[in-house]
Amino acid sequence: MMVNGYFILSVVIAYFLGNISPSTIQAKMAGHDIKKEGSGNAGTTNTFRVLGAKAAVITLVIDIAKGVLAVLLGGWLCSSVAAYACALAVLLGHVFPVLLRFQGGKGVATAFGAFLAIDWRMALLCLLIVAVVVLLSRYVSLGSLTAAIACPFLCMWLEPGFVPYGVVMALIVIFKHRSNLMRLVRGEENKLNFHKRDRKGE
């Protein structure tokens, strides 16, 4: 793999795309601090709990779009390998955003967007896994964790060249869900409630 200026440029742009936080922006506009309310996570689920469905949908769409755009940019500026690197970079930018003092979200929607641009079949299978697990358990975090565990195997099947990046991305998502995992083990994780906003969870 040859690393050139375009490769580096695409990865840097992808990282800073990941820094864009729609949940944080919307919360500030509404007089809230998303990092201090609900679960304290700047993601779709906590946005739904703190700000409501409309803000959550906006957050979800933008976070997915970040992943898609980053991968497409890498492929357009450089190569398929750059696209893979940009998938990892945009996730790192979302999870550890330098512009937000490294306090980002858990990366599920952004990772989904990146997968969608790399191989839509892989993305849809991950989405199916999340949907089934959440519908059966009502634990969003469990759905995310299950999909993250399945990710490397899906990569081996559908996109072998992406396996090293997919493994690292899966580990990042699992790491960011470590508190959820501990609450699941202790039976303290809150279930998703579509009728009222909870204070804890994803």
Side-chain angles (χ1 to χ4, degrees), residues 110-132:
T110 299
F112 172 77
F115 284 10
L116 193 62
I118 290 168
D119 190 320
W120 62 269
R121 298 168 300 172
M122 190 164 61
L124 292 186
L125 285 171
C126 284
L127 181 61
L128 179 62
I129 290 169
V130 172
V132 170

Side-chain angles (χ1 to χ4, degrees), residues 35-63:
K35 301 301 293 183
K36 295 181 179 179
E37 298 187 42
S39 67
N41 178 51
T44 300
T45 306
N46 196 42
T47 302
F48 173 72
R49 292 187 176 104
V50 176
L51 301 176
K54 181 180 178 181
V57 170
I58 293 172
T59 296
L60 178 64
V61 170
I62 293 177
D63 281 347

Side-chain angles (χ1 to χ4, degrees), residues 68-145:
V68 172
L69 287 173
V71 171
L72 294 179
L73 178 68
W76 177 66
L77 281 179
C78 196
S79 64
S80 60
V81 176
Y84 293 163
C86 284
L88 176 57
V90 73
L91 178 63
L92 287 170
H94 177 86
V95 172
F96 305 112
V98 65
L99 298 180
L100 297 173
R101 300 180 181 179
F102 301 102
Q103 297 180 358
K106 297 187 177 179
V108 175
T110 299
F112 172 77
F115 284 10
L116 193 62
I118 290 168
D119 190 320
W120 62 269
R121 298 168 300 172
M122 190 164 61
L124 292 186
L125 285 171
C126 284
L127 181 61
L128 179 62
I129 290 169
V130 172
V132 170
V133 174
V134 172
L135 285 173
L136 292 176
S137 69
R138 287 174 52 211
Y139 290 122
V140 176
S141 57
L142 183 59
S144 300
L145 285 164

